[in-house]
Structures are given as C-alpha cells and as structure tokens.
Amino acid sequence: MESSQLVAIISRLDAMVKNEGQDVQTRRFEKDGKEKGVVSFDPATQTFVLEELPDKQKFEFDNIDLAAIEVYDLLND
C-alpha cells in the first residue's frame, strides 16, 4: 500500500503549528520538482495562507484540515 500524501501534508503543517517561536513559518510544496505552492502559518493569528504558484492566488484558512485538503488538491491537479 502506498503511503498517504494527506498524512504527510498534515504532518508538515502541524510542525509549523507546534513551533515554539512567534515568527511566521513557511513551507514549500512541490510535485515532480516543480514548486506548486507555499504555505505560511502566522502564530499570532493562528491562520494558514496558501499561495498557489505560478498565479500567486492566496487563500486563508483557520483550520489545519482545510489547509491540508487544499494543498493536496493543488498537488494532484
């Protein structure tokens, strides 16, 4: 059985939430060596921002599951 992409995405997002610092955390997501999106987490507001590349469209989420689903969809389009 193939490992879950969704679990891996949630794990990366969760690491951002659990970081003890107050700085905005950023993770880049790629597929086949091509950058598809960038997710930032702001601990002050407890929100994720997904920036889809290359069109620079941004989406804001206050829920880790919704952010993970959007990243998953982005990587599998």
Side-chain angles (χ1 to χ4, degrees):
M1 177 185 259
E2 191 176 321
S3 63
S4 170
Q5 276 188 302
L6 197 52
V7 170
I9 293 166
I10 290 174
S11 177
R12 292 183 69 194
L13 297 179
D14 192 46
M16 296 166 71
V17 173
K18 290 181 178 174
N19 186 298
E20 303 266 335
Q22 290 303 309
D23 295 334
V24 173
Q25 298 288 311
T26 303
R27 300 290 186 276
R28 300 183 179 283
F29 289 88
E30 300 178 354
K31 182 160 187 177
D32 299 327
K34 184 177 179 184
E35 191 171 53
K36 301 287 246 170
V38 177
V39 176
S40 300
F41 177 73
D42 185 347
T45 61
Q46 294 289 299
T47 57
F48 295 93
V49 175
L50 168 61
E51 181 180 2
E52 293 185 354
L53 302 174
D55 60 3
K56 306 278 187 187
Q57 194 172 11
K58 292 185 179 183
F59 302 93
E60 190 171 314
F61 304 95
D62 61 358
N63 180 295
I64 193 170
D65 293 324
L66 295 177
I69 290 167
E70 285 299 318
V71 170
Y72 178 85
D73 286 344
L74 179 64
L75 294 175
N76 288 291
D77 275 347

